[in-house]
Structures are given as structure tokens and as C-alpha cells.
Amino acid sequence: MKKLKLIISGLLLIFVGTLQAQVSVTIGTPPPWGPAEAPGIRFYYIPDIQTYFDVNTGEYIYFSGGVWVHDRELPRAYRHYDLYGGYKVPLRDYHGERPWEGYNDHHRSYPKGYNRGQHQKTFGERPHDHGH
């Protein structure tokens, strides 16, 4: 009987450990243009181009053709957008997988030009800024 209790206890510990491992979330490495004040944040909203960025996948998420598109590149119209100079809103209170479900609130709270002119420190330097 004692042996059975030990086996069951051991299995429970393994099961609980597995559950805890499934709950833990790892955030990827932020891009060099990401806001420095936002370590550990998975999604940014970029008001000027109405686009999200997923740190974990390295993908931009934007609305096009009636659907939310996930792409490693910005939409063609914004390929020359200055990610270092543009303001990025870290979505601090969002912990799901679909940040665009809050788009109406994000669009209203952070319109195009939000915080324009206010410098936002980034994780890295602009590539052409080294030594100049």
C-alpha cells in the first residue's frame, strides 16, 4: 500500500510539473528597433502604420484584403517606414494570441501620429548610427 501511494505521489508530481511547464511563456528576443522600456512584452502596436509586431514569431500583423495577415515583412506601402523613429506601443496588459481583437481600442487610443516627435529609446541602434 505504501508503495502504491509513493507511485501515485510521484505521478502527481510529474503531472503537476508538466502543467506548470505548459503555462510558462517564453518571450523571444526583441528587435533592435523595439522599445527599450518594454522587455518581456510579446506584442507592439505601431500606430502610424496600424500594424502589430509579434516578438515571438518576428512577424508583422496587419489588416489587408479583409483578413489579418502575418508576414515577416511590412506591407509594401510601409516598407520604408522608420521603425526606429516611429512610436511603438507595448501591449503590456495583453496576454493572448490575437492582439488585433483589440484593434478598435488600440486604433482609438493610439491614432496615427501618436507621440510624434517624442523620442523612444530602442533596444539597439539604427544600423547606420554606429560610429557616426
Side-chain angles (χ1 to χ4, degrees):
M1 189 67 170
K2 204 173 198 181
K3 193 174 190 177
L4 181 60
K5 283 184 180 179
L6 281 173
I7 291 171
I8 290 173
S9 295
L11 288 173
L12 274 173
L13 283 173
I14 291 170
F15 179 71
V16 169
T18 302
L19 281 178
Q20 287 176 340
Q22 290 174 355
V23 171
S24 102
V25 176
T26 303
I27 302 297
T29 304
W33 52 261
E37 83 272 8
I41 300 295
R42 179 172 176 186
F43 293 103
Y44 312 139
Y45 176 64
I46 309 168
D48 289 344
I49 57 175
Q50 301 169 0
T51 298
Y52 294 92
F53 181 77
D54 183 340
V55 172
N56 281 1
T57 64
E59 293 178 327
Y60 300 94
I61 306 165
Y62 54 88
F63 197 71
S64 179
V67 296
W68 286 96
V69 175
H70 296 245
D71 196 337
R72 286 225 173 259
E73 294 188 31
L74 285 170
R76 184 180 312 277
Y78 298 119
R79 294 270 159 84
H80 298 292
Y81 179 74
D82 178 10
L83 289 163
Y84 285 88
Y87 195 81
K88 285 78 59 182
V89 178
L91 300 183
R92 296 179 193 287
D93 296 328
Y94 183 76
H95 302 288
E97 297 289 321
R98 303 162 61 98
W100 57 90
E101 289 178 343
Y103 174 74
N104 289 336
D105 289 335
H106 299 145
H107 182 65
R108 188 172 34 259
S109 298
Y110 311 106
K112 284 184 179 185
Y114 180 80
N115 276 359
R116 182 157 291 142
Q118 181 182 0
H119 178 70
Q120 187 177 39
K121 186 167 174 39
T122 58
F123 281 107
E125 293 181 30
R126 216 179 270 270
H128 63 275
D129 282 353
H130 297 287
H132 297 293

